[in-house]
Amino acid sequence: MAIFGNRIRVGDLLVMKGCITEEQLSDALEEQQKTKGKLGQVLVDMGFITEEVLAGVICAQLGIESIDLANFKPDPKLIEMIGEDILRKDELLPVGYDENNFNALKVAMSDPMNLGAIDDVQLVTGMEVVPLYASLNQINMHLDKLFGKKQAQEALEQFQLEHANEFGDEEEEAEDESINDAPIVKIVRSMLQEAVRMGSSDIHIEALEKEVRIRYRVDGVLQVINNYPLNSLAAIVARIKIISGLDISEKRKPQDGRLTEVVDGEEFDVRVSVLPTVYGEKVVMRLTKKKGLTKEKKYLGLYPDDEARLDGITHNPHGIILVTGPTGSGKSTTCYTVLNELNKETVNIITVEDPVEANVPGINQVQVNVKAELTFASALRSILRQDPDIIMIGEIRDGETAQIAVQASITGHLVISTLHTNSTSASVTRLVDMGVEPYLIGDAVVGIIAQRLVRRLCNKCKKARLATDIEKKMLHIEGQKLEGDVTVYDPVGCEECNKGYRGRVAIYEIMPITTKIRKTLHETFTADDIQRVAVSEGMNTLRMAGARNVLEGKTSIEEMVRVAYDMDEIVEMENAGD
């Protein structure tokens, strides 16, 4: 076993080598206190360093080798010799025997200084341990592949065996004892854990004609994970209904519920939606990390000019701030981040949400309850009698809520809300459609933020190439045509990523309501006119933000087109090129 002796801490060493600043180290240590994760991985997750930089520093510090597990195939005998419990608990993976010492085992570890983990392996194998450094993501990826589906499949086979005489080929009503039996509990828990570890935002359990299809949405894209026999659907759905507080006897109506799941020490809020379909009930579970919604502003991924615009909007003492975009575009994260920054002892902040997605200390949060007639509109009327300074409305869904929000802002309150539109300028016309007068919108709204999430290219496998003429047209920023060769990157795919992508990055379109825009609102309220004025005053559109990220190698042309272009526009550009 390697003796490490007295070494400089990884964080301090990274600062000494100029890889990070003292401020970044301080931010990472603060984040580490919240997440209880390893400092090196926290620095990688925050984007301060890459996995390669971390590996180089740790290996130099400890005098050990690193190993790339991207194309590695674990030896089943070594896996079995150590056992799942130790591999999961200590986050390690055996990679082979030492060529110079046949009584020594090479073990990939995300924390090679974890002497307790080394002792665990020595105890069960009776061999010396040669620690190698590997990234935590790579290790967990292999462990999930080795054990995740295996556990679920074993549980399913056990369930099928135990209930072979109770179910035919078709779905039947689940018996009470089958709902809570060990196999079904394992299947549902394994599903949730695997989805979390894959970075999934949604789990889809779908009843097809002859089978149950399980899909996860990872980085915004659905992918098939598993297929189960149709006769297992009833027990799986019933189990999910029980743990999310739904009525298991009701199969004809849609139901919504929620539950909390702890995976790898982190708490996740799971929103459950059950919908009756032709072949059975379809379940969608949306996963949200409770701590993930309350980020600091500097981690939103804003460019300096957009951050300055956001600061100008949020420093208004009253008015409406709208955050807009489709479902799953990160609106809630932006709203909570703004609230977190405004949250001080001197102000009274009240929210009305459906549902409350994250609990923020010091803020009074109200959950919509339609059955008790507590809607957005009725809650808002009561909130205005609670002497609020800042109000957050989960979503403006109807004209009544919009009118109350406008009145609240005009009477001296700062109102933050979300809206489902495609752009900042379209939000204005949406409010007009809801019955709000254009002159009131100009007086009430102080700023609008439109956003999207694009998939981030994997730094390990992305491939550079020269942009085509059509692509250069798409990438022009502020009317400046790109001349000469322009480098863009395409996704490739490796063991560390999801078909060439790893995580997502937000792009923003931030429009402060200036005097010129207010004047335009009084004269006309067409989206094109409003956007034209906003761009002339320096606003970056979603396309401009997407182009910036493409030119910096953060995302691909394909992703930019997906969130910022219509197919008709692409065809038009191609025809113009001809």
Side-chain angles (χ1 to χ4, degrees), residues 170-171 206-211 230 233 251-252 275-282:
E170 302 299 323
E171 178 198 358
E206 301 165 305
L208 305 181
E209 186 175 2
K210 294 181 179 178
E211 64 184 5
L230 190 60
L233 177 69
K251 297 176 182 290
R252 298 169 300 173
L275 179 71
T277 66
V278 174
Y279 298 112
E281 291 178 287
K282 171 181 167 66

Side-chain angles (χ1 to χ4, degrees), residues 22 28 75 77 154 187 192 236 241 327 331 466 543 577:
E22 289 281 3
D75 185 337
K77 291 181 181 178
E154 288 175 352
I187 288 170
L192 288 164
I236 291 173
K241 284 182 177 179
T327 301
K331 297 189 299 296
L466 296 180
R543 290 183 183 181

Side-chain angles (χ1 to χ4, degrees), residues 458-475:
C458 173
N459 285 325
K460 184 149 192 164
C461 66
K462 66 182 180 182
K463 186 177 180 181
R465 65 172 175 83
L466 296 180
T468 64
D469 290 339
I470 297 282
E471 289 170 341
K472 284 197 277 189
K473 284 183 183 179
M474 294 179 193
L475 291 170

